[in-house]
Amino acid sequence: MSNFSKFHFHRIFKLVTGITVNEFVKKAKIERALFFLMNNPSKTINEISIDCGFLSMSSFSRSFHELQNTTPSAWRESHKKSNIGIMNSNIGEMQSEIENYLALKLNNLKNSKMSEAIKLDFEIKQVEEFNVIYVRNLNINNHDSETFGKMFDQLFSWATPRNLVNFPETKALTVYRSNANLEGMLQADVC
């Protein structure tokens, strides 16, 4: 809830993000579809379109082609044997496998290639409600630690003079607002 009129909200949103609300939503839906197309080959393209919030296959195909310059089936085929995410380093391979595992787990997908040794256990806990302050970046690379550091610097330089930083009670966290796209770009908040 923004407490703005619909028109004013759309105008502010475009000023902040550079795109309209509808373009933002369409792009987010297609980014999610790309993830499913690459990581869930057993799911049909029609099922993916529905899961990503499209009302018809034709609107999904039209939006997909508009943003990717190809059809969903052609994109899926071209990324079937992709080397995306594969690195020469064993550490890089482990990190990539862990990220893929978490993304699959969070989206309730299965990957039979994931080794039992790498599977991670995590739990979701209910915590008491608390207020946060944050700095948002709508287009950051998931491995850009320098920019994440600058975001935390900006956050703490604002919060410290206001006596909002009191370690160890103060908690710092990063909230990822999207999956990384094929270029590794995502949306994130530091809180």
Side-chain angles (χ1 to χ4, degrees):
M1 185 155 294
S2 66
N3 291 325
F4 295 123
S5 70
K6 182 179 174 182
F7 171 77
H8 192 61
F9 175 78
H10 281 253
R11 197 167 49 127
I12 290 172
F13 188 91
K14 183 162 184 174
L15 284 172
V16 171
T17 65
I19 60 174
T20 67
V21 172
N22 289 341
E23 290 169 329
F24 179 84
V25 170
K26 184 190 321 181
K27 186 176 179 186
K29 288 178 177 182
I30 295 299
E31 292 285 343
R32 187 164 190 230
L34 292 173
F35 174 81
F36 285 127
L37 286 167
M38 191 166 15
N39 294 295
N40 198 356
S42 63
K43 195 173 255 198
T44 68
I45 292 174
N46 190 47
E47 289 172 326
I48 291 171
S49 74
I50 292 166
D51 288 350
C52 293
F54 289 92
L55 298 177
S56 71
M57 187 64 189
S58 63
S59 68
F60 172 65
S61 295
R62 187 173 46 255
S63 296
F64 194 94
H65 194 275
E66 181 183 315
L67 293 172
Q68 297 298 317
N69 294 320
T70 188
T71 64
S73 55
W75 190 92
R76 176 182 255 176
E77 188 61 33
S78 71
H79 288 79
K80 219 179 233 181
K81 294 182 173 126
S82 171
N83 287 334
I84 292 172
I86 296 175
M87 300 175 189
N88 293 333
S89 154
N90 287 341
I91 294 169
E93 287 176 17
M94 174 70 86
Q95 181 65 30
S96 179
E97 285 192 48
I98 290 170
E99 288 171 0
N100 287 340
Y101 175 74
L102 289 173
L104 291 168
K105 199 75 153 146
L106 292 171
N107 286 291
N108 294 318
L109 300 176
K110 306 264 187 277
N111 183 351
S112 59
K113 294 184 274 184
M114 177 59 76
S115 75
E116 290 296 320
I118 296 176
K119 289 195 177 180
L120 305 174
D121 287 326
F122 63 91
E123 61 182 290
I124 298 172
K125 291 184 177 182
Q126 182 99 21
V127 295
E128 284 187 39
E129 184 176 308
F130 58 95
N131 295 320
V132 298
I133 55 172
Y134 64 90
V135 173
R136 176 166 294 160
N137 191 319
L138 296 175
N139 197 30
I140 184 171
N141 190 286
N142 59 347
H143 296 296
D144 186 356
S145 57
E146 183 179 335
T147 301
F148 275 107
K150 288 178 184 175
M151 290 167 67
F152 273 111
D153 289 345
Q154 181 182 3
L155 180 72
F156 284 115
S157 67
W158 182 88
T160 302
R162 291 166 176 79
N163 294 322
L164 298 173
V165 178
N166 184 24
F167 289 109
E169 292 83 22
T170 300
K171 307 282 186 252
L173 49 118
T174 304
V175 177
Y176 294 95
R177 305 181 58 77
S178 66
N179 287 330
N181 64 18
L182 295 176
E183 292 82 34
M185 303 306 283
L186 50 77
Q187 300 170 15
D189 298 339
V190 295
C191 311

